[in-house]
Amino acid sequence: EPEVTQTPSHQVTQMGQEVILRCVPISNHLYFYWYRQILGQKVEFLVSFYNNEISEKSEIFDDQFSVERPDGSNFTLKIRSTKLEDSAMYFCASWLGLGIEETQYFGPGTRLLVL
Amino acid sequence: AQSVTQLDSHVSVSEGTPVLLRCNYSSSYSPSLFWYVQHPNKGLQLLLKYTSAATLVKGINGFEAEFKKSETSFHLTKPSAHMSDAAEYFCVVSSMDTGRRALTFGSGTRLQVQP
């Protein structure tokens, strides 16, 4: 069964450093998402991406964040200058985007720790 | 606007007894509702979904949920708990009518299963 994959599974970085989190969505899906889950808190929507542009973003997704689909298979989330409060589990998800099939399929997540 | 309230942050049951995880939603439009499960250090797995078809939805691992519009509820049940059911469960809503594809998560219910 097709699945969403994410790399790395864990990343430790120093405050102020740039990080890039990578995701490979399911191949025929059209919509891609990033969510995050700060330890002990609920999963929060960051951004959705369709047709090579951002279709929606939350107030969390400020100028330090960016997303890209560089090569037709990868979907990346870049944090330009990490802060301590960026420490969280980051989930990528993808959605077919056709018909009534609404399920978003999630990857296993990347646990980011900012020191 | 859409929101989800999970009424219990923790639920503890004995193995072999029924499970009930409660969820109420708020949505301006016809919602789609999901239950996702997260095992420790794992990603988010879809248990079941409601997308305006049958109101009683059956999912994986013996779970089911009933959509009750009059009560704005989507409670998750299982007749007999198994030790492997111990995990965090998230009730999730999305409203396609608004074009908002982003999922809104509840705060989660941690299910403990006692031997």
Side-chain angles (χ1 to χ4, degrees):
Chain A
E1 185 175 324
E3 59 182 17
V4 177
T5 60
Q6 290 185 243
T7 54
S9 58
H10 293 79
Q11 175 130 16
V12 181
T13 190
Q14 296 291 324
M15 190 170 56
Q17 295 296 304
E18 174 183 286
V19 295
I20 297 176
L21 309 184
R22 290 182 169 80
C23 168
V24 178
I26 295 173
S27 62
N28 61 338
H29 284 194
L30 302 177
Y31 286 80
F32 316 116
Y33 305 83
W34 284 101
Y35 293 82
R36 80 172 184 191
Q37 184 183 30
I38 295 172
L39 189 63
Q41 299 185 22
K42 64 171 67 176
V43 177
E44 303 170 289
F45 166 74
L46 292 178
V47 66
S48 61
F49 192 85
Y50 170 72
N51 198 27
N52 280 319
E53 60 183 26
I54 291 173
S55 54
E56 187 177 9
K57 61 182 180 179
S58 72
E59 59 275 10
I60 302 168
F61 194 87
D62 61 22
D63 291 345
Q64 70 161 341
F65 291 95
S66 62
V67 289
E68 194 177 33
R69 187 155 164 80
D71 57 13
S73 63
N74 288 282
F75 178 53
T76 62
L77 174 69
K78 182 192 291 186
I79 309 176
R80 260 180 274 283
S81 177
T82 50
K83 304 172 188 168
L84 296 177
E85 54 265 36
D86 293 327
S87 295
M89 179 75 96
Y90 288 81
F91 292 106
C92 175
S94 71
W95 172 45
L96 179 62
L98 296 173
I100 62 170
E101 173 50 66
E102 295 186 50
T103 304
Q104 291 184 23
Y105 293 87
F106 284 80
T110 294
R111 187 172 295 282
L112 176 66
L113 178 60
V114 182
L115 302 175
Chain B
Q2 56 192 29
S3 66
V4 175
T5 301
Q6 291 184 243
L7 299 162
D8 307 292
S9 59
H10 289 84
V11 169
S12 183
V13 300
S14 298
E15 190 174 22
T17 65
V19 175
L20 170 64
L21 305 184
R22 298 182 294 165
C23 171
N24 287 100
Y25 70 90
S26 171
S27 176
S28 303
Y29 298 90
S30 301
S32 294
L33 293 156
F34 308 81
W35 278 96
Y36 283 86
V37 60
Q38 183 181 33
H39 290 275
N41 301 313
K42 301 287 187 184
L44 295 159
Q45 180 184 20
L46 179 70
L47 269 183
L48 49 79
K49 62 182 177 183
Y50 165 78
T51 54
S52 77
T55 56
L56 182 62
V57 181
K58 294 188 186 299
I60 61 172
N61 301 333
F63 284 93
E64 62 182 39
E66 187 171 8
F67 173 71
K68 292 186 176 180
K69 186 175 180 179
S70 60
E71 299 176 11
T72 61
S73 70
F74 190 58
H75 301 333
L76 181 70
T77 60
K78 183 173 180 177
S80 176
H82 192 273
M83 296 296 291
S84 61
D85 294 328
E88 185 97 18
Y89 291 79
F90 294 96
C91 184
V92 180
V93 65
S94 81
S95 295
M96 282 189 68
D97 292 7
T98 63
R100 177 179 168 84
R101 311 299 186 186
L103 301 180
T104 300
F105 281 72
S107 52
T109 298
R110 183 165 298 279
L111 176 65
Q112 287 184 306
V113 182
Q114 309 289 346

